[in-house]
Amino acid sequence: MKQKLWILAAGLCLCMAGCGDASETPAAGQEDIPPLTKEALIAEMIEEMAPEEKAGQLLMMDFRQNMDGSGMTVLSPEAAEAIADYHIGGVILFAENLDAAAAEQSGHTIGKELAELGISVDFAPIADINTNPENTVIGSRAFSDDPAEAAECVAAFLRGLQAEGVSGCAKHFPGHGDTAMDSHNGETYVTHGLERLRGAEFVPFQAAADAGADFIMAGHIKTPNATADGLPASLSGDTIGLLREEIAFDGIAITDAMNMGAIVDCYGCGESTVMAVQAGIDIVLMPASLQEAAETLTEAIETGEIPPERVEESLKRILSLKYDKGLLKNS
């Protein structure tokens, strides 16, 4: 449009004027042209718009997928052509348009904010896969319904978050995405066998471990076709064994909140606390009764119900991370 040419010409004149001798006087007709007011500029632009350009400004479009069905994380030639041809005034972004770089930047941003508040751990990211449309607890909290895409974003978010000095916690191992029940409310199951878990649910957790996640959270999820002890993951030596051996995670294993229905409806507070530590959990999160949990756990340590080496293993992980974060005095 003519307006664009005018702006370019005005910019060129200003640049040339800035390079000249300050003592020189402008030639006739070259006096400084005052900038248009906002209202005048808008009025001129509207006057010069063709009907199709006006229509385009009234439209905002989504461009979610490439021709092959993959998420459009980079503007495709076809989308760029459509935007230009129809003079689209705006584009709305959805999950399909966000790549791992956006997740990593999100981690950096959140990490900076939390670090400024003195918070050292963020119970994120969600490493579950959104594979069950009837799931009421995960759903859009997950990065993707594709294991590889979820894994890429989980690792990227962790890199960004932990680069700011805030520990990340991938959750909810072994995967809460394909459950029909919400573990806040009662017993929760995943019916898949171990091979399916290895090929799908475990993939983002493996990426989290490989990215150096400081924490992984064990959910209150039973996996009757993958483990033999019949217990929720947070209390299951079989499941924590998979986390340590198959995923090769040697960071801090923490339970999901122990005051959730999946635990309190089936186990006593002290009982479940001891079971979790016996299973290989390092930190028991939010027991329903602090007094009962602390007293029962202390007794189990004193009597040897929980072997000393099991306790020492967890203490080393916890204190090592606190040292690395500058939370321990080195006197």
Side-chain angles (χ1 to χ4, degrees):
M1 292 186 289
K2 290 185 289 184
Q3 175 65 23
K4 294 179 181 177
L5 295 176
W6 183 90
I7 293 172
L8 178 60
L12 181 58
C13 288
L14 289 172
C15 181
M16 292 173 66
C19 298
D21 189 333
S23 63
E24 294 178 359
T25 58
Q30 291 186 352
E31 291 83 2
D32 289 339
I33 302 173
L36 294 176
T37 64
K38 180 175 75 171
E39 291 77 11
L41 176 61
I42 290 172
E44 184 172 320
M45 292 181 70
I46 292 174
E47 184 179 355
E48 295 182 359
M49 278 184 182
E52 60 268 24
E53 292 176 318
K54 293 177 180 179
Q57 285 297 311
L58 306 184
L59 298 175
M60 180 178 286
M61 277 302 298
D62 63 322
F63 297 94
R64 301 195 193 194
Q65 295 179 327
N66 295 304
M67 300 295 289
D68 61 3
S70 61
M72 189 181 295
T73 59
V74 177
L75 188 66
S76 71
E78 294 81 11
E81 183 178 356
I83 292 170
D85 288 348
Y86 294 100
H87 312 281
I88 300 300
V91 173
I92 181 171
L93 300 180
F94 286 85
E96 297 93 327
N97 304 120
L98 301 179
D99 54 15
E104 185 166 351
Q105 183 57 49
S106 175
H108 277 289
T109 302
I110 292 171
K112 286 178 182 177
E113 295 287 341
L114 294 178
E116 289 179 3
L117 294 172
I119 295 171
S120 57
V121 181
D122 182 14
F123 288 137
I126 294 286
D128 304 309
I129 307 168
N130 185 21
T131 52
N132 185 347
E134 297 182 3
N135 188 309
T136 58
V137 65
I138 301 301
S140 61
R141 295 168 67 196
F143 279 114
S144 176
D145 57 6
D146 178 80
E149 289 183 2
E152 185 179 13
C153 289
V154 164
F157 182 89
L158 281 166
R159 286 194 300 269
L161 183 73
Q162 297 195 167
E164 302 300 332
V166 176
S167 295
C169 177
K171 61 184 184 182
H172 311 77
F173 188 80
H176 210 325
D178 203 13
T179 61
M181 293 290 294
D182 182 345
S183 54
H184 289 86
N185 302 324
E187 286 188 296
T188 305
Y189 298 85
V190 169
T191 59
H192 300 305
L194 189 55
E195 288 308 308
R196 151 64 192 245
L197 295 178
R198 286 171 174 152
E201 279 75 10
F202 284 4
V203 174
F205 291 99
Q206 185 66 68
D210 292 345
D214 289 331
F215 289 78
I216 287 182
M217 179 182 286
H220 306 314
I221 305 156
K222 294 183 177 181
T223 52
N225 295 319
T227 53
D229 58 21
L231 296 171
S234 53
L235 310 181
S236 169
D238 289 352
T239 306
I240 304 305
L242 291 171
L243 179 63
R244 297 298 188 196
E245 295 160 19
E246 294 220 6
I247 306 298
F249 177 66
D250 194 35
I252 294 174
I254 187 169
T255 68
D256 204 346
M258 296 289 276
N259 59 5
M260 291 164 61
I263 298 298
V264 297
D265 290 352
C266 304
Y267 307 93
C269 175
E271 174 193 20
S272 61
T273 299
V274 171
M275 290 174 69
V277 177
Q278 287 175 327
I281 287 290
D282 299 307
I283 296 178
V284 179
L285 176 66
M286 295 168 55
S289 166
L290 173 58
Q291 181 178 355
E292 183 179 349
E295 291 178 353
T296 307
L297 186 57
T298 299
E299 183 180 359
I301 292 172
E302 289 175 339
T303 62
E305 183 181 356
I306 300 177
E309 57 271 20
R310 169 76 279 282
V311 178
E312 184 175 330
E313 181 183 30
S314 288
L315 290 175
K316 285 182 176 178
R317 290 193 184 104
I318 295 166
L319 296 178
S320 176
L321 181 60
K322 288 183 176 181
Y323 180 92
D324 292 344
K325 299 295 183 183
L327 301 177
L328 297 183
K329 290 183 179 179
N330 187 12
S331 57

